[in-house]
Amino acid sequence: MKYEKLSKLFYKMDADSYDKEYKKRTCSYGSYSTSLKIRGFRKGHLTNDSFELFYVNTHELMNLNNEVLLNSSKISSLISQLPKFVVKPYFNKLIINEAQSNNEIEGIRSTKKELKEALKALEQSEPQHKRFVGLMKTYQFIDQIHSFTSVHDFRKLYDELVADEIVAEDAPDGELFRKGYVEVNDGNMTTHIGVSSEQKITEALEALIVYLHDESHPQLYRYMTAHYYYEYIHPFYDGNGRTGRLIVGSYLSRYLEKYSAITFSYAVNKNKEKYYKALEEIPSPLNRGEMTFYLMNMLELLLSGQKGIIEDLELNLMKLKRINNYINSDQWGDDKEERELFRIIITFNVFVNEHETLSVQELMKISDKSRHIVNKVMDYLEQKGFVEMVSRRPKSYKISEECLEEILPS
């Protein structure tokens, strides 16, 4: 028998059969009750209904869970094959994509260049006055964010992640969170109304913390359920989406690995309609608080992000194999230092950015060679047409288009 949404079965069954199906789902061997309570919501208004969130570990949901775990292992294996010097720059590329996607979902204007500069300022320990430095810092250390044990942790993440981007009128006006009314509107109608007072927000977040530590629930289901409940609470006037996706990312990064975790917003941005529809279906009175289909949708989004990384890594590792064959050919003879620096600059081109430039200072740091040697080698590579200088101050290089076309024809 096909497992269908309760909201759909309501129109297919008589009232008695529908009630029996609901009870069967909440009391079956594969069902999980969360103790998290929500109000019903219909046609832009809260209803008088109250539901406990629950889900059923169906075959389809279980298969999605297993696929996520297998993909995570595959990503870890592929990352281990990357040259060590490009692992961090590759991750930085991913977090810039993720942060840009997170901003786009929320209508926050940013450019990848701006985010890259914020990341650079962070790494060089410059004064943190640049926009998005807090955002990039949070993403860069996503796997080091501790589990949430106090409601103060939610406010702390908000302050670090989005507080600088929130207009004054939308800043929290309670002790930690908002104390007034908030709703989400899609431009046509209200799609959600947040929990009504700071006291109730605090109580709901405390219940969420208890649930996050409930090990009787499988981890992926628990973290995605917690993501929904945080969005349902809506503790702030603005910034809930960005902090909510970062919270689920922090838990995913410790359970899986950080590469899977940071693709979540990127996948959501490509499938916004699916994401918002999944969130909005849960409080429908006909759905009765069932999370099963929402969990399927979230794991499908997570899988799409994982598959994107796997395809990117597999293609680039094939390119790297071709590069290594070229560098190990006879034409390079005993030019060990030339081979090494050329390999660094072309590997950055493949894994980070096809227009990536590296300064002499950066090449010195990566190769652990003196300025004299780096300058000498780069002069030689430029003379031979392998690289081209793109700036003199600081002296920076990129792979030449002709050389790239010879090794990796498009």
Side-chain angles (χ1 to χ4, degrees):
M1 180 180 169
K2 186 182 176 186
Y3 194 86
E4 294 186 277
K5 294 176 181 178
L6 283 170
S7 56
K8 195 172 182 180
L9 293 177
F10 178 83
Y11 296 102
K12 286 186 173 185
M13 296 176 164
D14 58 62
D16 188 49
S17 299
Y18 172 77
D19 284 336
K20 282 180 181 175
E21 177 63 21
Y22 168 65
K23 283 169 186 168
K24 180 181 171 185
R25 291 188 182 191
T26 54
C27 301
S28 68
Y29 288 116
S31 68
Y32 288 79
S33 298
T34 66
S35 299
L36 302 174
K37 301 283 176 54
I38 65 166
R39 288 274 303 276
F41 187 85
R42 185 172 179 267
K43 293 185 177 180
H45 301 283
L46 291 168
T47 68
N48 292 323
D49 308 287
S50 176
F51 304 105
E52 179 181 357
L53 297 176
F54 77 95
Y55 58 90
V56 181
N57 194 16
T58 62
H59 287 296
E60 188 178 350
L61 183 55
M62 204 160 25
N63 288 339
L64 289 168
N65 182 76
N66 292 341
E67 196 177 345
V68 167
L69 296 178
L70 287 171
N71 278 349
S72 180
S73 296
K74 191 168 189 178
I75 289 169
S76 295
S77 173
L78 290 168
I79 290 292
S80 71
Q81 297 172 50
L82 266 59
K84 282 189 171 53
F85 63 79
V86 85
V87 172
K88 187 176 179 184
Y90 180 72
F91 181 67
N92 286 348
K93 177 187 82 169
L94 294 179
I95 64 176
I96 287 169
N97 289 342
E98 174 76 351
Q100 178 69 2
S101 292
N102 213 343
N103 285 341
E104 285 174 5
I105 294 167
E106 300 299 325
I108 308 298
R109 190 186 169 281
S110 64
T111 63
K112 288 188 178 180
K113 182 183 178 185
E114 200 174 7
L115 295 170
K116 188 175 180 181
E117 285 173 357
L119 193 58
K120 191 173 181 181
L122 176 65
E123 290 178 344
Q124 293 177 353
S125 301
E126 290 179 5
Q128 295 190 12
H129 61 273
K130 284 184 181 285
R131 284 184 81 202
F132 306 121
V133 168
L135 175 72
M136 301 314 292
K137 182 180 180 182
T138 309
Y139 273 116
Q140 195 169 54
F141 302 106
I142 191 170
D143 54 341
Q144 294 174 36
I145 298 173
H146 296 298
S147 296
F148 285 55
T149 57
S150 159
V151 294
H152 289 82
D153 293 334
F154 295 104
R155 177 56 190 266
K156 182 183 175 190
L157 180 68
Y158 170 90
D159 288 341
E160 291 175 350
L161 186 64
V162 298
D164 291 344
E165 305 301 318
I166 304 294
V167 296
E169 64 198 54
D170 287 336
D173 52 1
E175 189 178 333
L176 292 172
F177 311 108
R178 63 174 170 84
K179 60 182 181 182
Y181 172 88
V182 70
E183 66 175 44
V184 179
N185 194 294
D186 65 3
N188 296 312
M189 65 180 293
T190 300
T191 57
H192 177 65
I193 295 173
V195 169
S196 62
S197 68
E198 186 172 31
Q199 183 182 339
K200 288 183 178 177
I201 288 169
T202 303
E203 289 168 0
L205 288 173
E206 285 170 347
L208 178 57
I209 289 168
V210 171
Y211 176 71
L212 275 168
H213 289 85
D214 185 351
E215 294 185 1
S216 68
H217 290 259
Q219 274 115 315
L220 286 179
Y221 306 163
R222 197 192 322 162
Y223 304 150
M224 291 304 184
T225 298
H227 173 64
Y228 167 76
Y229 198 59
Y230 178 84
E231 299 301 331
Y232 167 80
I233 297 165
H234 230 68
F236 304 101
Y237 292 112
D238 190 15
N240 298 285
R242 282 166 286 168
T243 51
R245 285 185 290 276
L246 210 288
I247 289 167
V248 72
S250 70
Y251 280 89
L252 291 173
S253 68
R254 293 191 300 275
Y255 178 57
L256 302 172
E257 25 61 44
K258 61 186 182 180
Y259 299 91
S260 290
I262 59 148
T263 64
F264 186 57
S265 293
Y266 188 68
V268 166
N269 197 27
K270 286 165 60 177
N271 299 275
K272 280 190 232 184
E273 189 178 342
K274 178 175 182 172
Y275 173 73
Y276 285 118
K277 188 179 178 185
L279 289 173
E280 290 163 14
E281 282 182 343
I282 294 170
S284 163
L286 301 184
N287 185 59
R288 297 210 176 178
E290 181 170 12
M291 306 281 293
T292 311
F293 292 93
Y294 160 83
L295 291 175
M296 287 180 195
N297 286 322
M298 293 305 107
L299 294 193
E300 283 166 0
L301 288 173
L302 185 55
L303 278 167
S304 72
Q306 287 182 317
K307 286 171 184 173
I309 288 184
I310 288 169
E311 286 171 12
D312 187 50
L313 285 169
E314 286 179 336
L315 175 62
N316 290 340
L317 283 166
M318 283 190 280
K319 288 181 179 179
L320 188 62
K321 190 174 181 182
R322 187 162 186 152
I323 290 165
N324 287 334
N325 288 338
Y326 178 83
I327 291 172
N328 292 330
S329 62
D330 293 339
Q331 67 167 307
W332 290 85
D334 296 325
D335 300 337
K336 183 183 174 186
E337 286 165 344
E338 286 78 0
R339 269 204 307 260
E340 188 178 343
L341 288 175
F342 178 74
R343 182 169 180 258
I344 289 169
I345 205 162
I346 196 171
T347 301
F348 267 78
N349 174 278
V350 169
F351 284 95
V352 182
N353 187 332
E354 60 184 21
H355 303 296
E356 189 73 12
T357 63
L358 289 173
S359 66
V360 167
Q361 192 71 32
E362 287 167 328
L363 287 165
M364 287 167 58
K365 186 177 178 182
I366 295 165
S367 66
D368 198 27
K369 297 190 187 304
S370 68
R371 183 178 295 275
H372 171 73
I373 289 174
V374 170
N375 275 322
K376 179 184 168 189
V377 169
M378 295 313 292
D379 285 346
Y380 171 81
L381 292 175
E382 184 183 16
Q383 191 180 9
K384 289 289 185 181
F386 292 122
V387 301
E388 54 188 71
M389 188 187 295
V390 291
S391 74
R392 292 195 175 275
R393 290 187 180 178
K395 197 186 274 189
S396 302
Y397 297 87
K398 71 170 187 173
I399 200 81
S400 75
E401 294 295 332
E402 295 78 12
C403 177
L404 196 61
E405 189 62 31
E406 182 185 346
I407 306 169
L408 301 169
S410 53

